[in-house]
Amino acid sequence: MLLPVFTLKLRHKISPRMVAIGRYDGTHPCLAAATQAGKVFIHNPHTRGQYFRASRVSQSPLESDVSLLNINQVVSCLTAGVLNPELGRDVLLVGTQTNLLAYDVYNNSDLFYREVADGANAIVLGTLGDVASPLAIIGGNCVLQGFDHEGNDLFWTVTGDNVHSLALCDFDGDGKKELLVGSEDFDIRVFKEDEIIAEMTETEIITSLCPMYGSRFGYALSNGTVGVYDKMARSWRIKSKNHAMSIHAFDLNSDGVCELITGWSNGKVDARSDRTGEVIFKDNFASAIAGVVEGDYRMDGHVQLICCSVDGEIRGYLPGTAEMRGSLMDTSMEQDLIRELSQKKQNLLLELRNYEENARAELSSPQNEADGQRDVIPANTRLHTILSVNLGSETQAAHTELCVSTSNDTIIRAVLIFAEGIFVGESHVVHPSVHNLSSSVCVPIIPPKDVPVDLHLKAFVGYRSSTQFHVFELTRQLPRFSMYALTSPDSASEPLSYVNFIITERAQRIALWLNQNFLLPEDTNIQNAPFQACFTSLRNGGHLCIKIKSSGEITLNTDDIDLAGDIIQSMASFFAIEDLQVEADFPIYFEELRKVLIKVDEYHSVHQKLSADMADDSNLIRSLLVQAEDARLMRDMKTMKNRYMELYDLNKNLLNGYKIRCSNHTELLGNLKAVNQAIQRAGHLRVGKPKNQVITACRDAIRSNNINTLFRIMRVGTAPS
Amino acid sequence: MDLVLNRADYLQVGVTSQKTMKLLPASKSRATQKVVVGDHDGVVTCFGMKKGEAVAVFKTLPGQKITRLELGGVLNTPQEKIFIAAGSEIRGYTKRGKQFLSFETNLTECIKAMHVSGSDLFLSASYIYNHYCDCKDQHYYLSGDKINDVTCLPVEKLPQITPILACQDRVLRVLQGSDVMYEVEVLGPPSVLALHNGNGGDSGEDVLFGTSDGKLGLIQITTSKPINKWEIRNEKKRGGVLCIDSFDIVGDGVKDLLVGRDDGMVEVYSFDSANEPVLRFDQMLSESVTSIQGGCVGKDSYDEIVVSTYSGWVTGLTTEPVQKESGSGEELKINQEMQSKIASLRSELEHLQYKVLQERENYQQASQSSTAKTALSSISINDKFTLNKDDASYSLILEVQTAIDNVLIQSDVPIDLLDVDKNSAVVSFSSCDAESNDNFLLATYRCQANTTRLELQIRSIEGQYGTLQAYVTPRVQPKTCQVRQYHIKPLSLHQRTHCIDHDRPMNTLTLTGQFSFAEFHSWVVFCLPEVPEKPPAGECITFYFQNTFLDTQLESTYRKGEGVFKSDNISTISILKDVLSKEATKRKINLNISYEINEVSVKHTLKLIHPKLEYQLLLAKKVQLIDALKELQVHEGNTSFLIPEYRSILEEADHLQEEYKKQPAHLERLYGMITDLFIDKFKFKGTNVKTKVPLLLEILDSYDQNALIAFFDAA
């Protein structure tokens, strides 16, 4: 069994996910972690002499070998590593909601201190693609930014939603690192510099990502799932009721392959094989795990796996030796294997007994026995499922409907649907009351997003008085655009917005695509091109028209730019289109965006004005304070009192000003996000190279503050030359 | 000295009941003992271990489910005759497997408990106890509540025969002949009895008991009165006790206490110089431990604890060191044994798999025909639904002989499902439509692989009653699911007790009308937990109850045509009034309901609540401060500048937080009960005060006892 080689208990709390190990003086590895009250602590057990002495850093009053670094803001991400190879030592990087600090601990100096308006939710340090120098890449509200050691902004791009996790990994095996981005819209995107080369949709917010080796990487979701991807294919995943706080790749059993180490919210740490997800080691802490890192913390030439809990407990584990292979757990493998095999045997025996008893029941009881009582159902009972669109009624909103029915007089006691991402939890249950039992059950489904979902159904079939039911299990796929009902073309008032593009596919293939991605009534019959199909959204009643001309030109009419993008991406993957340029116009959306852009300008100027006011006020405070103290020394109590009264008023003003600044800032963030999303959406309408061109061109347009060009790019897809 | 025990699995039989595995005494020639175990298939298996392989001595044919297995024989000789109880029959086998006895008792119910001593046989079914001598009926007793276990003080040591019954109503009944000598009230519903040290101790009068809420105790049963020796309360909230044995596993010459619990915990207590038990060892197995005994089975000269579990595993926890520490030659041998065992298992599996595939095909074919039927064979589910006194919540334990796939929990009353640390299943709450389908709770538990036991915690609200259903789907093909129902009673937080404080101010509810004794009893069963389903003997009966949350009490006395409830809590009386009048209307029985309300009782109840409320408020306040204080501590480096009160909060921080975590929503529940009290007080006066409830909540927010009492008086 593997035991920790060292255990420390620091009397400082550790904020989850904010732990990093760095050699801040070039030799000694030290642990840096964010703690309460906007501070970062650095644990340095190696040199007792205090070389951190300066204004920013102070000696911790609780622990002799811990120094505290004041950030004075809530730390939102933290990492350490080599940012400037010439420096010869590691740099500590601390991100907050407004700033990024690159700090040289040894010299107590800032390498740079940059304002980042979009916040820094996640940070990763390393080389990206062909960029020569190491970059500190931060992810904020829909934005990715990379800084070199001088604070130069060398990398900038947008992504679909707020970034929650980042990792660098050689995804396509070309020897250069790609950037993995996990965001709030459940997507993992892979950026080869600023080009998206892959997108994987998960079922929840991606909270952590970590490179394993080669093209494999681990991920963790906010619903307690952890797993491993190899390129775009998921190798395995498991779900727990606890949350994965931190994941890390480390070769704990010395077999040459990294395991996925997960620190859980209930204080458990486990190591899972990267191929199968099988647990090869576990340990328990008294409180939730804050971070899992690695480093040679004992300075003996061996790298340890270091796990930290939120209460400041730190344990280091050395990898097991080769002889210990497979026996990191305290029970022997053979015993477990035997137990597992015996369990399998028992299961098979039970199954056999089921069949035997079934056969016996058939022989002994012809038809006369009252069914139900013995929980006997006809053997040819079948379960039918039908997916359809229900336009709703006055009491019920429009929805997609799944009807489950049995083929005879048996009843359905309950239906369980397990599916990810479309229900509040992972399952939805329909359990009719005893009076409403029948042989069919209809389940309303309202998927919140346009994604294809596998519905895993379990139906309990039996009779009214049964205490035991047969469980019918089956899987149905909910098409991607199931929330759109087919309507007749003329009734739909055609939306003004449109997307135009040309693909060279036969009409039948397009009809096939329609059939697979929409819930069409069974009698729908699509003739040759040209034809058109109109749909109404069940969510907001918006219209969608797809017109296909015989020349291969396709026009999508919809006001929903996201929907248009989704349809284009879905078509592109179905017809295997690599590059697609489109012409698009969304007058309503563009008008809104124009307003947003104006607002952004306004907020920026308000922000500047407020900052100036604050500077004025602080000058005033200084003079008032001096005046008041002077008055006190002169024993002129009346003046002193007046001055302090003024000071009090000023303080109140400042507080109010702060509140305004705060709300201004959140508004600004919201609007910036909208702008970033707009660029992302414009890109989403195109496929392949045109997509990246649009994003780059849009970014340039925004930098040069050229709003008209921006809209032109969004419309035609290229910058005017 | 630390006790280190290593686990070794021996054999798996069918599902086992409580106390159905024993070790046969060692014969002279061999030092290892044989294991005999009876299962739900009715098979008695006797086996010994040879070179790490289980070798069967004999195996009987399947029959009725075996509920108990005991060893007996002529007194003062080795006890090596095997007695089993199956249905209403007792069978006896020699250690070679020859049947020498088949005794069909005249009991109408199934035998639940058995004790054998020489030619005396003590049996009990649910409520009936019978004593046979040489298979002739001697004595008979009808108990007021379910009998869980029976034992008898050693007849060799004592002049008379003293049987003891462990009854569900928290009482040990000590009998003499057919009569109760006296009753001993114990801490919880006793589930198992055992003689101390296997022989009743020096006096022969010491009896160990374990309760279904996890407590243990030792009582000396003298001829005149019981003497409590010691008790172990269940501080760690472990499972109920299912089996007890005495065996010197530590090797210090004093017999230790071995305990098996229904959450899979195996514990060893040894005795200190003052004869008080001290926990020496515990290990968690994954499922209920149904029987436990100390002995030597796997390898001679290494003592071990042998346990059997619910799904039929016979497992040893042995003092034999694991292979790593033994010599290298030895290790190789053990490894070879293991390898051959694994190989044989694998080939067996392959064979089975082939067979199963064939059967599966047959089954599929059968499903094509229109006349064929498919039946379900039931997989046994072991369930327990009990009220925890400490936090006034129910725990539901489901245990299946094979792995559970998922469990659907449905309830038609509003209840809260709480998170249980032990349970690793992924829970998901589904939206439910309360109006049309009577669902207030729909939740699925998707279990991780190899989960055979699931524990849930449920918080109910008094006055809201209905049914909780659990649909359990095991991971076996063809897939089936079983429904289990549990009643949430109107006074769900009440618990049976045997003595109450008669000096409290009481409110009285009297019901008269044309109803029989049994009818009224059924209503009491409907309203209150822990009441035996069977109407007790006699014409008039009194039950006492205690509210586990507020410590208020309830007395119910009834006979044919009249029933009286007395409680110091007005809400309790109000709930009973509502439920009983509803029930009577449903059955079209004319009931005269009269009540007598004691105004003082409201103040009294508020005073009972006061310390709890004050404690919770203070705790909440302290916990709120912890984070801020800790930050100050980090900032300033020491705590000397803080006032002593804050310093003590910092010192106790961990403890406080733990305490706070243990009782989620405690304050809200207390507020809810005070609000109910307020509404009920005025309901009896005929005024509706629902509009004043916000005012009451305001007063509660800035709680002061006198202000609250004044508000109750003034409104």
Side-chain angles (χ1 to χ4, degrees):
Chain A
M1 180 175 180
L2 196 66
L3 292 169
V5 288
F6 67 83
T7 304
L8 296 169
K9 182 86 176 93
L10 302 179
R11 287 197 287 165
H12 288 278
K13 294 247 178 205
I14 301 178
S15 309
R17 301 184 222 283
M18 320 254 176
V19 185
I21 282 188
R23 296 171 191 264
Y24 306 114
D25 60 353
T27 44
H28 301 98
C30 300
L31 190 81
T35 182
Q36 292 161 316
K39 288 185 170 65
V40 170
F41 76 75
I42 299 164
H43 178 241
N44 177 20
H46 309 291
T47 43
R48 300 283 163 188
Q50 303 165 12
Y51 54 79
F52 306 139
R53 251 171 284 114
S55 57
R56 226 189 240 283
V57 178
S58 64
Q59 173 75 34
S60 162
L62 296 177
E63 214 91 36
S64 66
D65 44 11
V66 169
S67 323
L68 286 171
L69 182 63
N70 264 323
I71 302 293
N72 288 331
Q73 263 181 310
V74 177
V75 178
S76 57
C77 60
L78 179 145
T79 191
V82 179
L83 186 59
N84 181 2
E86 287 158 23
L87 198 62
R89 52 180 179 266
D90 291 353
V91 171
L92 179 67
L93 290 149
V94 181
T96 67
Q97 273 316 313
T98 52
N99 295 91
L100 174 69
L101 167 71
Y103 181 65
D104 182 353
V105 178
Y106 185 66
N107 275 345
N108 181 33
S109 62
D110 295 357
L111 281 184
F112 64 83
Y113 184 70
R114 282 289 303 257
E115 191 163 312
V116 282
D118 294 302
N121 300 334
I123 188 163
V124 69
L125 183 61
T127 49
L128 173 70
D130 287 324
V131 184
S133 60
L135 290 179
I137 302 165
I138 57 164
N141 296 332
C142 308
V143 174
L144 297 163
Q145 264 179 296
F147 299 96
D148 70 355
H149 64 94
E150 286 166 330
N152 296 323
D153 179 357
L154 293 186
F155 172 73
W156 188 98
T157 191
V158 290
T159 181
D161 208 329
N162 290 350
V163 178
H164 275 251
S165 49
L166 291 170
L168 287 165
C169 170
D170 183 10
F171 185 80
D172 55 2
D174 61 351
K176 290 173 217 145
K177 295 280 181 68
E178 281 77 43
L179 182 65
L180 306 178
V181 181
S183 54
E184 224 167 70
D185 58 357
F186 310 174
D187 272 355
I188 302 175
R189 293 185 178 82
V190 185
F191 286 83
K192 191 176 177 67
E193 295 195 28
D194 44 16
E195 175 192 349
I196 295 183
I197 56 168
E199 263 186 272
M200 285 80 82
T201 302
E202 265 304 329
T203 56
E204 257 295 340
I205 297 171
I206 295 100
T207 54
S208 311
L209 287 166
C210 82
M212 302 280 288
Y213 63 90
S215 55
R216 297 176 85 88
F217 63 94
Y219 73 100
L221 305 182
S222 62
N223 65 359
T225 306
V226 293
V228 166
Y229 268 97
D230 187 4
K231 293 196 180 151
M232 290 190 68
R234 190 164 48 211
S235 297
W236 57 267
R237 61 171 169 173
I238 57 113
K239 189 174 174 190
S240 159
K241 69 166 184 169
N242 302 301
H243 300 287
M245 305 294 276
S246 174
I247 55 173
H248 188 77
F250 189 77
D251 182 12
L252 200 60
N253 58 359
S254 307
D255 63 350
V257 182
C258 282
E259 282 80 48
L260 183 70
I261 320 287
T262 315
W264 297 92
S265 57
N266 63 344
K268 212 167 90 177
V269 173
D270 58 25
R272 290 170 185 275
S273 146
D274 74 306
R275 305 261 158 199
T276 58
E278 182 194 358
V279 178
I280 64 152
F281 168 73
K282 57 184 169 195
D283 200 3
N284 277 300
F285 282 67
S287 54
I289 304 297
V292 182
V293 290
E294 64 177 72
D296 179 11
Y297 218 54
R298 296 195 305 177
M299 305 268 304
D300 58 0
H302 299 288
V303 176
Q304 295 110 34
L305 176 73
I306 297 168
C307 304
C308 316
S309 79
V310 290
D311 279 350
E313 189 178 352
I314 297 168
R315 289 187 202 163
Y317 304 87
L318 268 183
T321 52
E323 300 90 70
M324 274 177 78
R325 181 171 301 175
S327 52
L328 300 177
M329 308 258 263
D330 51 352
T331 43
S332 70
M333 284 279 284
E334 280 97 351
Q335 280 282 357
D336 280 346
L337 191 63
I338 288 180
R339 212 166 292 153
E340 200 187 308
L341 289 174
S342 308
Q343 185 69 46
K344 259 191 201 152
K345 180 181 149 193
Q346 203 67 16
N347 273 354
L348 289 174
L349 282 175
L350 266 173
E351 192 177 337
L352 263 184
R353 212 179 68 193
N354 278 352
Y355 295 130
E356 272 166 27
E357 282 187 18
N358 205 6
R360 207 181 309 146
E362 230 164 89
L363 287 177
S364 62
S365 67
Q367 305 284 315
N368 48 12
E369 206 159 339
D371 293 335
Q373 281 177 356
R374 290 199 60 247
D375 308 315
V376 175
I377 64 167
N380 61 350
T381 307
R382 293 277 179 280
L383 203 65
H384 302 297
T385 58
I386 298 161
L387 271 170
S388 61
V389 173
N390 187 323
L391 290 174
S393 59
E394 275 173 21
T395 53
Q396 208 175 14
H399 56 257
T400 310
E401 195 171 60
L402 176 70
C403 275
V404 186
S405 56
T406 64
S407 57
N408 47 33
D409 62 340
T410 49
I411 56 109
I412 298 177
R413 186 69 198 88
V415 177
L416 277 67
I417 303 174
F418 286 88
E420 284 171 305
I422 58 170
F423 305 125
V424 186
E426 59 169 20
S427 68
H428 181 73
V429 183
V430 176
H431 183 276
S433 71
V434 186
H435 322 290
N436 297 339
L437 285 176
S438 72
S439 62
S440 77
V441 167
C442 283
V443 190
I445 297 172
I446 303 178
K449 294 208 298 181
D450 289 334
V451 278
V453 183
D454 278 333
L455 304 173
H456 301 279
L457 259 85
K458 291 178 202 292
F460 298 166
V461 176
Y463 286 98
R464 248 161 231 284
S465 54
S466 297
T467 56
Q468 254 199 87
F469 297 93
H470 292 257
V471 179
F472 284 73
E473 288 180 310
L474 50 103
T475 301
R476 278 294 302 256
Q477 198 186 52
L478 195 64
R480 182 186 266 258
F481 303 105
S482 55
M483 282 298 273
Y484 298 89
L486 189 71
T487 46
S488 57
D490 45 20
S491 73
S493 56
E494 212 163 271
L496 285 174
S497 314
Y498 69 90
V499 187
N500 256 334
F501 54 96
I502 298 172
I503 55 172
T504 50
E505 284 293 340
R506 282 176 296 128
Q508 287 86 341
R509 289 263 293 159
I510 295 170
L512 194 66
W513 170 83
L514 270 177
N515 247 323
Q516 279 193 11
N517 286 283
F518 288 85
L519 282 176
L520 301 177
E522 275 172 35
D523 53 353
T524 318
N525 172 22
I526 286 168
Q527 327 79 349
N528 282 337
F531 68 87
Q532 65 170 330
C534 288
F535 298 90
T536 313
S537 164
L538 299 183
R539 294 197 186 92
N540 52 18
H543 294 292
L544 163 73
C545 270
I546 305 175
K547 284 183 221 157
I548 292 122
K549 286 183 193 154
S550 46
S551 60
E553 190 184 333
I554 298 181
T555 309
L556 299 177
N557 285 78
T558 174
D559 285 329
D560 187 345
I561 187 167
D562 282 324
L563 174 62
D566 282 344
I567 289 178
I568 288 167
Q569 297 300 326
S570 164
M571 279 185 164
S573 64
F574 188 84
F575 301 121
I577 301 169
E578 281 178 2
D579 294 310
L580 184 69
Q581 180 61 281
V582 307
E583 192 197 327
D585 192 16
F586 289 87
I588 303 168
Y589 180 72
F590 287 170
E591 194 45 47
E592 272 172 30
L593 184 61
R594 193 183 293 274
K595 282 181 197 150
V596 167
L597 285 167
I598 294 166
K599 266 193 201 151
V600 168
D601 275 347
E602 278 171 15
Y603 285 125
H604 266 304
S605 60
V606 171
H607 176 76
Q608 269 162 7
K609 189 179 164 288
L610 285 172
S611 299
D613 286 355
M614 192 178 65
D616 285 353
D617 281 349
S618 53
N619 280 334
L620 210 57
I621 286 174
R622 223 168 282 148
S623 67
L624 276 176
L625 200 63
V626 171
Q627 283 174 18
E629 283 304 286
D630 279 351
R632 188 174 65 86
L633 290 174
M634 307 281 285
R635 297 187 178 275
D636 180 358
M637 286 307 155
K638 199 175 161 207
T639 321
M640 184 193 86
K641 208 171 159 191
N642 283 340
R643 292 291 168 266
Y644 271 116
M645 292 284 272
E646 281 171 48
L647 201 56
Y648 176 74
D649 289 340
L650 199 57
N651 189 41
K652 261 206 299 205
N653 276 347
L654 266 178
L655 273 179
N656 284 336
Y658 173 74
K659 272 180 203 148
I660 296 169
R661 247 157 51 92
C662 266
S663 57
N664 185 57
H665 185 72
T666 31
E667 289 285 329
L668 180 63
L669 275 189
N671 284 316
L672 280 180
K673 184 176 165 182
V675 174
N676 289 331
Q677 259 170 350
I679 300 177
Q680 168 69 22
R681 281 169 174 159
H684 202 57
L685 291 175
R686 281 93 183 170
V687 183
K689 274 208 192 84
K691 179 175 184 174
N692 301 317
Q693 279 168 8
V694 168
I695 292 179
T696 328
C698 285
R699 195 182 79 193
D700 291 341
I702 287 203
R703 273 203 181 155
S704 55
N705 210 3
N706 196 340
I707 294 179
N708 288 329
T709 323
L710 177 73
F711 288 118
R712 209 187 121 68
I713 297 164
M714 285 185 169
R715 265 187 212 109
V716 298
T718 47
S721 46
Chain B
M1 184 195 82
D2 268 337
L3 186 59
V4 180
L5 298 177
N6 298 305
R7 182 173 169 180
D9 295 329
Y10 294 139
L11 186 73
Q12 191 173 17
V13 295
V15 177
T16 63
S17 290
Q18 190 191 355
K19 285 169 98 172
T20 49
M21 184 226 43
K22 285 278 178 191
L23 303 185
L24 289 171
S27 59
K28 282 166 216 123
S29 55
R30 282 173 56 95
T32 56
Q33 292 170 270
K34 304 245 168 12
V35 182
V36 51
V37 53
D39 60 25
H40 280 196
D41 303 331
V43 179
V44 182
T45 312
C46 178
F47 70 94
M49 295 302 290
K50 227 177 222 169
K51 288 183 190 153
E53 291 261 7
V55 179
V57 177
F58 70 86
K59 208 172 170 181
T60 66
L61 290 172
Q64 245 190 319
K65 160 173 154 180
I66 294 171
T67 48
R68 280 292 152 102
L69 185 148
E70 292 285 338
L71 297 181
V74 181
L75 290 176
N76 300 320
T77 63
Q79 305 281 301
E80 52 187 18
K81 296 226 163 23
I82 304 156
F83 293 87
I84 59 144
S88 60
E89 193 189 1
I90 301 293
R91 289 202 295 270
Y93 295 94
T94 65
K95 61 176 177 175
R96 307 249 170 264
K98 201 169 140 282
Q99 188 172 343
F100 65 87
L101 172 77
S102 173
F103 167 47
E104 181 64 46
T105 63
N106 46 2
L107 294 170
T108 48
E109 297 168 90
C110 281
I111 298 165
K112 288 278 167 64
M114 167 170 74
H115 181 79
V116 184
S117 160
S119 53
D120 291 304
L121 186 62
F122 306 90
L123 297 179
S124 73
S126 292
Y127 294 94
I128 306 157
Y129 152 82
N130 254 23
H131 172 203
Y132 300 89
C133 189
D134 287 324
C135 296
K136 286 195 190 67
D137 204 341
Q138 299 285 321
H139 298 289
Y140 166 88
Y141 174 74
L142 181 66
S143 160
D145 206 337
K146 276 197 189 113
I147 304 169
N148 291 329
D149 202 5
V150 57
T151 193
C152 177
L153 295 183
V155 288
E156 312 90 292
K157 288 193 178 175
L158 297 169
Q160 80 275 28
I161 295 174
T162 318
I164 300 157
L165 307 181
C167 300
Q168 183 65 29
D169 52 357
R170 291 157 210 276
V171 160
L172 303 184
R173 295 200 160 85
V174 182
L175 305 182
Q176 192 156 39
S178 295
D179 302 310
V180 176
M181 199 154 74
Y182 57 80
E183 292 183 346
V184 191
E185 197 186 336
V186 292
L187 298 165
S191 49
V192 58
L193 294 173
L195 297 176
H196 185 47
N197 281 348
N199 58 9
D202 297 333
S203 60
E205 292 175 329
D206 290 348
V207 173
L208 291 162
F209 67 88
T211 69
S212 58
D213 52 1
K215 290 159 188 154
L216 288 164
L218 178 67
I219 286 182
Q220 186 178 2
I221 306 287
T222 66
T223 43
S224 54
K225 62 174 196 319
I227 303 167
N228 272 324
K229 290 282 189 73
W230 49 257
E231 285 164 352
I232 304 172
R233 294 190 178 265
N234 190 11
E235 300 284 348
K236 288 181 187 151
K237 293 208 174 158
R238 287 179 172 168
V241 180
L242 282 182
C243 46
I244 300 178
D245 189 40
S246 296
F247 183 78
D248 180 17
I249 188 85
V250 179
D252 57 358
V254 182
K255 281 196 177 177
D256 308 306
L257 180 61
L258 315 179
V259 179
R261 295 178 184 267
D262 66 8
D263 60 348
M265 188 60 83
V266 175
E267 294 172 326
V268 176
Y269 293 89
S270 54
F271 294 91
D272 62 8
S273 50
N275 263 336
E276 290 283 327
V278 186
L279 183 66
R280 290 297 292 272
F281 170 85
D282 54 5
Q283 184 164 350
M284 194 72 165
L285 305 179
S286 54
E287 49 191 10
S288 299
V289 177
T290 48
S291 327
I292 191 165
Q293 198 178 348
C296 175
V297 171
K299 194 157 192 211
D300 62 19
S301 69
Y302 290 109
D303 282 343
E304 65 187 294
I305 301 169
V306 182
V307 298
S308 69
T309 63
Y310 173 70
S311 72
W313 270 108
V314 181
T315 302
L317 295 170
T318 169
T319 51
E320 184 187 349
V322 273
Q323 54 224 46
K324 269 177 229 151
E325 290 157 36
S326 51
S328 58
E330 190 90 328
E331 188 182 331
L332 209 67
K333 209 174 109 203
I334 292 176
N335 261 336
Q336 273 171 352
E337 275 170 19
M338 282 286 195
Q339 291 304 333
S340 68
K341 207 170 169 180
I342 290 169
S344 77
L345 257 173
R346 277 193 202 278
S347 70
E348 212 176 328
L349 266 178
E350 253 167 52
H351 178 71
L352 268 172
Q353 232 140 19
Y354 175 72
K355 226 168 135 186
V356 164
L357 272 180
Q358 267 186 331
E359 289 290 331
R360 237 180 242 175
E361 235 160 70
N362 285 345
Y363 182 75
Q364 287 296 331
Q365 262 167 7
S367 71
Q368 304 295 331
S369 93
S370 55
T371 52
K373 304 263 168 182
T374 59
L376 294 167
S377 68
S378 60
I379 284 168
S380 67
I381 294 178
N382 184 12
D383 56 347
K384 191 171 136 186
F385 186 65
T386 46
L387 176 65
N388 296 330
K389 194 173 174 350
D390 306 328
D391 51 4
S393 71
Y394 277 89
S395 75
L396 172 61
I397 298 167
L398 296 164
E399 192 171 18
V400 183
Q401 68 184 111
T402 176
I404 305 175
D405 186 63
N406 66 72
V407 174
L408 164 65
I409 301 287
Q410 182 266 342
S411 164
D412 58 2
V413 267
I415 51 169
D416 290 327
L417 269 183
L418 307 181
D419 189 43
V420 181
D421 283 343
K422 271 187 241 170
N423 135 16
S424 64
V426 179
V427 60
S428 160
F429 293 92
S430 169
S431 57
C432 38
D433 37 350
E435 318 88 61
S436 60
N437 284 325
D438 298 337
N439 295 321
F440 276 97
L441 175 82
L442 282 172
T444 54
Y445 280 84
R446 197 165 51 82
C447 296
Q448 310 281 0
N450 297 332
T451 309
T452 55
R453 191 175 184 281
L454 191 69
E455 196 173 324
L456 313 174
Q457 215 180 351
I458 291 146
R459 219 163 39 201
S460 60
I461 304 161
E462 284 213 322
Q464 312 247 34
Y465 57 100
T467 321
L468 173 76
Q469 295 192 95
Y471 293 80
V472 185
T473 313
R475 210 168 271 186
V476 175
Q477 293 293 333
K479 277 222 171 139
T480 61
C481 88
Q482 286 188 47
V483 193
R484 292 288 153 128
Q485 293 194 330
Y486 309 94
H487 295 286
I488 311 271
K489 306 210 168 177
L491 294 173
S492 52
L493 300 181
H494 278 72
Q495 198 176 42
R496 271 284 287 285
T497 172
H498 288 272
C499 51
I500 59 165
D501 176 6
H502 287 280
D503 297 334
R504 294 189 182 180
M506 294 291 218
N507 307 294
T508 317
L509 178 73
T510 313
L511 301 113
T512 49
Q514 295 293 320
F515 50 78
S516 69
F517 179 63
E519 230 165 347
F520 200 88
H521 180 77
S522 75
W523 294 340
V524 174
V525 172
F526 181 79
C527 292
L528 286 147
E530 299 190 6
V531 184
E533 302 232 333
K534 209 161 123 325
E539 285 184 351
C540 175
I541 187 88
T542 304
F543 285 118
Y544 298 116
F545 300 90
Q546 196 184 20
N547 184 322
T548 51
F549 197 75
L550 295 179
D551 292 327
T552 57
Q553 55 198 28
L554 172 68
E555 178 188 339
S556 93
T557 308
Y558 49 94
R559 61 168 68 83
K560 183 177 182 291
E562 190 194 41
V564 180
F565 292 100
K566 283 185 183 168
S567 171
D568 50 347
N569 188 344
I570 265 193
S571 296
T572 309
I573 292 291
S574 160
I575 291 169
L576 278 171
K577 180 178 153 258
D578 291 351
V579 173
L580 289 177
S581 46
K582 214 177 188 177
E583 273 302 295
T585 327
K586 220 193 263 170
R587 293 180 202 191
K588 300 202 174 91
I589 293 176
N590 204 3
L591 265 190
N592 291 319
I593 301 179
S594 63
Y595 45 83
E596 206 176 289
I597 298 306
N598 188 339
E599 286 282 326
V600 188
S601 75
V602 177
K603 204 189 240 176
H604 160 81
T605 312
L606 284 177
K607 273 185 183 152
L608 270 183
I609 298 176
H610 173 68
K612 297 178 206 295
L613 193 59
E614 201 171 40
Y615 174 76
Q616 288 298 331
L617 283 169
L618 201 66
L619 186 66
K621 203 174 118 191
K622 281 180 176 172
V623 168
Q624 221 173 10
L625 280 172
I626 289 176
D627 266 349
L629 287 173
K630 280 210 169 148
E631 205 175 310
L632 274 177
Q633 191 185 11
V634 171
H635 212 84
E636 300 295 329
N638 60 46
T639 53
S640 53
F641 63 95
L642 290 174
I643 58 169
E645 188 195 333
Y646 286 170
R647 248 181 292 168
S648 75
I649 292 178
L650 266 180
E651 276 156 24
E652 293 172 0
D654 291 344
H655 174 73
L656 288 172
Q657 258 159 344
E658 203 174 296
E659 188 81 0
Y660 191 67
K661 241 205 266 165
K662 243 197 289 186
Q663 301 175 317
H666 205 96
L667 208 54
E668 285 76 14
R669 286 177 98 185
L670 279 172
Y671 281 0
M673 289 189 185
I674 293 173
T675 315
D676 284 348
L677 195 69
F678 181 68
I679 293 171
D680 290 332
K681 177 187 167 176
F682 290 96
K683 205 164 83 183
F684 278 108
K685 284 188 178 167
T687 35
N688 188 341
V689 286
K690 286 221 166 107
T691 49
K692 286 183 184 164
V693 169
L695 214 61
L696 174 69
L697 289 178
E698 232 169 75
I699 287 181
L700 283 173
D701 272 341
S702 50
Y703 176 70
D704 172 57
Q705 192 190 3
N706 294 328
L708 185 64
I709 291 176
F711 181 76
F712 265 74
D713 286 339

